[in-house]
Amino acid sequence: MRKSVPVLVAQRIALGLVLLLAVSAVIFLGVEALPGDVAQAIMGQSATEQALANFRAEHGLDQPALTRYLNWLWGILHGDLGTALSNGEDIARAVGQRLGNTLFLAFWAAVISVPLAIILGLVAARHAGRWPDRLISAVTLTTISLPEFVLGYVLLYYLGVKWQVFPPIAMVFPGMGLWERLHAVILPVLVLVLVVLAHMMRMTRAAILNVMQSAYIETAELKGLSPMSVIWGHAFPNAIAPVVNVVMLNLAYLVVGVVVVEVVFVYPGMGQYLVDHVTKRDLPVVQAVGLIFAAVYIGLNILADVISILANPRLRHPK
Amino acid sequence: MSDAASDILLDVRGLRIEATVHPPGERARDVVIVDDVSFTLARGRVLGLIGESGAGKSTIGLAAMAYGRGGVRITGGEIRLGGRDILKAGAAGLRALRGREVTYVAQSAAAAFNPARRLMDQVTEATLRHGLATREQAEARAIALFGRLGLPDPERFGERYPHQVSGGQLQRAMTAMALCPRPGLVVFDEPTTALDVTTQIDVLAAIKEAIRDTGVAALYITHDLAVVAQIADEIMVLRQGRMVEQGPTARIIGAPRREYTRALVSVRSMEHPEKPAGGQVVLDVANVSARYAGLPRDVLRDVSVAIEAGHTLAVVGESGSGKSTLARAITGLLPPSRGRIRFSGRVLSPDLAGRAREDLRELQMIYQMADVAMNPRQTVATIIGRPLEFYFGLKGGERDARVQELLDAIEMGRGFADRYPAELSGGQKQRVCIARALAAKPKLIICDEVTSALDPLVAEGILRLLLDLQAQEGVAYLFITHDIATVRAIADSIAVMHRGAVVRYGPKSRVLSPPFDDYTDLLLSSVPEMRQGWLEEVIRHRKMESAGN
Amino acid sequence: MRRIPLSALIGLAVTGAFFAVALTAQWIAPHPIDEIVSPQIWAPRSPEFPLGTDSIGRDLLSRMIFGCQVTILVATAATVLSFTVGSVLGFLAATAGGWVDQILSRANDLIMAIPSLILALVILSVTPPGIVTLVLVIGLLDATRVFRLARAVAADIAVMDYVEAARLRGEGKAWVIFREILPNALSPLVAELGLRFIFAVLFISTLSFLGLGVQPPLADWGGMVKENAAGLVYGVPAALVPSAAIAVLAISVNLVADWILARTTSLKGGRGV
């Protein structure tokens, strides 16, 4: 009766796409249902009824919500994210420039934090309950308790201003060399690494401890295998799926952390762009960028589930 | 026997084992879990370690590999294996010993095999790691062992993953894994306890044969004296970490010297005379079928049974036979798809919601796990008092007095009413559940494996209590169990279930006498008897029968 | 009384102190919240202004005290809201089952599929600003997590034999929910309370920091970080004061929550909460 792996993976991906569609509806239609008027917000309290009506007609706001949703969705599927209300800019073009910057930041944060988190998680699990574990867990408990911007400003003040080790403002511009660019983003990358590292390391530790407490680990020890053989031969093949899952979930978390960190370091990325336009109450930009963030988040979650399915021996080798 | 001393493989002297426990909200403290245990085991011999839960038998078994689980530490005595004190061996010395000179067979092979690796890899791993053979030799030996242990298609069995084979097969594969490196000693830790009785006998026979053929010595740990009597040359009885007595198997089961051993030997021989038939029928189940939503086939197929007032019907079967589903159908938790249930002369509504309060009151239930059958946040007085309040409207002092009467009836007496379930022993918990059922003054109590989770002596006390209460109150029992000894102890009539259907039904004397149908014969003949040689008899008998067919 | 570990004691004391400041802000603050007391912006510490002045010359200590009140008020209100909504709906889903459970659970999955901060930003871009809006947005978004936990806890308990025994006895839904399930579900939920409060503190601080939370003339700690952040580049550490306050509050609540969590998971049933 058990379903085969390709069917399960296809099902999971299909479910993710349905979810994404539902999310787009929430972001577009759900927002319509909220109190508040876009035209009023953009034009200000002093705008006349006539001016508001003109504004609505100009931007198609007078059409039924469902029609506008379907048009919006149709446009997105064709790469058209609409135009910004505040300055008439093409959203897709603006996003195109900034997405690269954001991915650059997230990529380097991931490259540093993932191996570090796994190594620290292993160390903590290996010494569970003893001082290396306690130290690591005390430090991570602290960083988990800090919002990203607090961590960001503390590092900015000490490393960027007081001791002047790294540039305090992450200025990047087109045509910059890779090394210059990396040097510019050291602080924001460091903040993202610290924030994600704590969660990732705690979850990795829990996943590995869970595997190490299994009866088959005792079996391996009672075979007289060396600690390394026990870990590589028996713990590792079973720990890899939960650890990869942990990594994916935390990369999804990274996507959100980016928003705040970009604002702290005045970095021209998607997060900064989103926050600016929330302040300007520029709904089309907010909806388009919000959907992109949600899509990345959902995509990483799907990836995590697919990896779990692929790594499960019960599913890979059906009866 | 001049070189008897050199024949000694394992020599344990004054063994003392401690563990650190962490009671919630209190400081961690050390407790002694094994104290002053000594024994010797000669090459090629089998020593049975027997005792109830908490006797320390598994801990002693693992100590033979100088291994302690969790916070368990060996703090005294010496353990000599082949003349060497293994407690002084050091980490590398122990690694050289484990998996080579001593190997281990766990109770749950399903958990003890790594789910991500093929069986062959795991069975030959210790042999290869210790450099005892080449891969070809090790695999050839594994295949030979698979064959000897009666595994299907031995040549290709090792290619499978653990989840692809059955529980009984995994247990044999674990035995093959233990025997593959040709160790001097194997520790068998309750290897058949988790198996159904008809599977247990095959695995037991396979293990016994493999021990004999390979000449390995074994520590065989179990709580079931009848099982260990089949396999051990000597038996050591343990209780709360201390030795009670030790001796040759025949002597221990034939002429036990200590009171505790005598109790263990006689515990499964409780008999109960069958009550004469002809009374009023209290429950009549007619042609009932049932299935769970979403499953393609019936889990109950055309079941018809009846119980007379004040009588006990035992429903016996292995896991998956549908016996617990029958209880769910009768209580209305799983409405039958076909058939009718009559209770004290009325037709019962198929589902719970449609039943009158009087029907609910007269039909009570007791569960296997008393732990989860009581709300941990209610006191004993609340647990027993609620049905009194709910069905009879008893309040205040009247209710408290009745609660105390019920506590007296279950032989618990004063001082328990204000306790919480966590403060009771396993047997006491089950007694409180009985009192709760009794409080409703029911005509019928459904008992679902109520003694299965208890140690044999405690279970016997519960069975005696149930019989006494039946004599006093005239309540009928529908007693669900997988254990034939329990059936003999309590039943007036018996229904044998197999794959959702009743295959044999009638008064106890008739159901348990020949001629038998095939399944009942298999079931009855698989129950270990407390005498040596029983296993060989059954196996020989079965071989003859299959040869005759 | 059982022994309370030192870390939890410190956590309790510090958390208590913050709440005390929040309750008495009007009386202990030396200056009104928006009074410009000094012509010097970002004045250094002095006996008159123990924490110096802020970006437009207001007393930083007074603003910290009022900020404490706003931060804790919003976080507490949001936590109460998320707990009430999340646990009521979670219990309802677990005990009602069927389509009620399906609808509530799928809707919850949908909201949780969008990162909270992103969804909050989308909502705040249209809704009128104000404290009430903030409490509603934070409380309802966080209610999804409480819902998931409450539903899981209640669903675990609902299949216990003692609940089945109550149903077989003929007990009504109210007895089953309030007498059998609720007393056993409470302690894991109480442990979660602290974590949800921290989440609310961090969330409101982050939103205010982004300029989308508490609006002037009111101020919370996150907003104060934003106001004074520009000074950091010139070497003025004023923004670090509210930053530190957020961190200390979050860490001390975390210490208490960790202790409660460890206690409830080590208690398998049994008496004593």
Side-chain angles (χ1 to χ4, degrees), chain A residues 272-295:
Chain A
Q272 174 83 266
Y273 184 59
L274 173 61
V275 173
D276 278 352
H277 286 83
V278 175
T279 318
K280 290 180 193 158
R281 303 195 153 244
D282 191 336
L283 197 54
V285 176
V286 173
Q287 285 171 331
V289 177
L291 186 64
I292 293 171
F293 273 111

Side-chain angles (χ1 to χ4, degrees), chain B residues 187-448:
Chain B
V187 178
F188 289 94
D189 192 353
E190 306 243 19
T192 64
T193 304
L195 303 175
D196 268 328
V197 66
T198 53
T199 316
Q200 159 172 291
I201 187 170
D202 293 333
V203 174
L204 200 59
I207 289 176
K208 179 162 189 178
E209 215 167 303
I211 290 177
R212 198 188 57 213
D213 292 354
T214 54
V216 71
L219 278 179
Y220 196 99
I221 296 157
T222 175
H223 67 283
D224 189 339
L225 199 47
V227 164
V228 82
Q230 308 312 317
I231 220 160
D233 303 302
E234 283 197 52
I235 290 177
M236 176 151 123
V237 181
L238 293 154
R239 187 183 194 189
Q240 288 163 6
R242 290 176 162 272
M243 189 191 77
V244 176
E245 72 176 302
Q246 185 183 0
T249 302
R251 216 267 296 145
I252 293 284
I253 59 174
R257 289 181 187 148
R258 304 291 294 267
E259 188 56 44
Y260 182 69
T261 316
R262 266 197 286 280
L264 282 184
V265 170
S266 63
V267 71
R268 298 170 69 85
S269 54
M270 192 175 145
E271 285 281 348
H272 155 70
E274 181 183 317
K275 295 190 200 77
Q280 193 194 357
V281 170
V282 58
L283 178 78
D284 182 17
V285 176
N287 310 101
V288 162
S289 297
R291 68 171 60 187
Y292 288 104
L295 286 186
R297 58 189 176 79
D298 287 345
V299 280
L300 275 187
R301 293 182 290 135
D302 200 26
V303 170
S304 300
V305 290
I307 308 175
E308 291 172 17
H311 280 224
T312 301
L313 169 69
V315 177
V316 63
E318 297 183 285
S319 50
S321 63
K323 55 191 194 302
S324 288
T325 310
L326 178 59
R328 294 182 73 77
I330 295 171
T331 53
L333 289 168
L334 179 68
S337 51
R338 271 195 315 281
R340 197 185 53 183
I341 301 168
R342 291 176 73 86
F343 181 62
S344 26
R346 314 179 286 268
V347 175
L348 278 183
S349 154
D351 67 329
L352 188 60
R355 294 190 181 179
R357 185 174 283 205
E358 205 56 10
D359 291 332
L360 299 175
R361 178 182 71 74
E362 291 186 339
L363 180 61
Q364 291 290 309
M365 174 125 179
I366 310 174
Y367 295 84
Q368 174 174 1
M369 306 301 274
D371 267 332
V372 288
M374 289 184 288
N375 189 332
R377 308 239 166 221
Q378 292 175 357
T379 60
V380 168
T382 313
I383 290 167
I384 302 177
R386 179 61 189 168
L388 296 173
E389 196 178 280
F390 186 75
Y391 293 124
F392 306 112
L394 292 189
K395 291 229 157 44
E398 220 182 344
R399 190 189 68 164
D400 295 343
R402 179 75 185 125
V403 166
Q404 190 54 53
E405 266 177 53
L406 285 160
L407 281 171
D408 291 338
I410 56 167
E411 298 154 13
M412 281 182 47
R414 313 245 147 219
F416 283 96
D418 293 331
R419 294 207 200 170
Y420 286 85
E423 298 167 299
L424 304 176
S425 72
Q428 286 169 338
K429 284 178 197 161
Q430 199 55 290
R431 280 167 194 262
V432 171
C433 289
I434 293 172
R436 175 173 64 184
L438 226 49
K441 288 190 180 293
K443 287 187 174 160
L444 173 69
I445 301 179
I446 297 176
C447 304
D448 189 358

Side-chain angles (χ1 to χ4, degrees), chain B residues 535-548:
Chain B
L535 183 63
E536 285 74 13
E537 271 173 40
V538 179
I539 298 298
R540 208 176 315 123
H541 181 69
R542 288 193 184 170
K543 278 189 183 144
M544 271 162 53
E545 274 197 345
S546 61

Side-chain angles (χ1 to χ4, degrees), chain B residues 367 372 375 386 390-391, chain C residues 162 164 169 171 180 184 271:
Chain B
Y367 295 84
V372 288
N375 189 332
R386 179 61 189 168
F390 186 75
Y391 293 124
Chain C
Y162 61 80
E164 187 181 297
R169 197 187 306 139
E171 300 281 6
E180 307 287 349
N184 291 290
R271 62 166 35 162

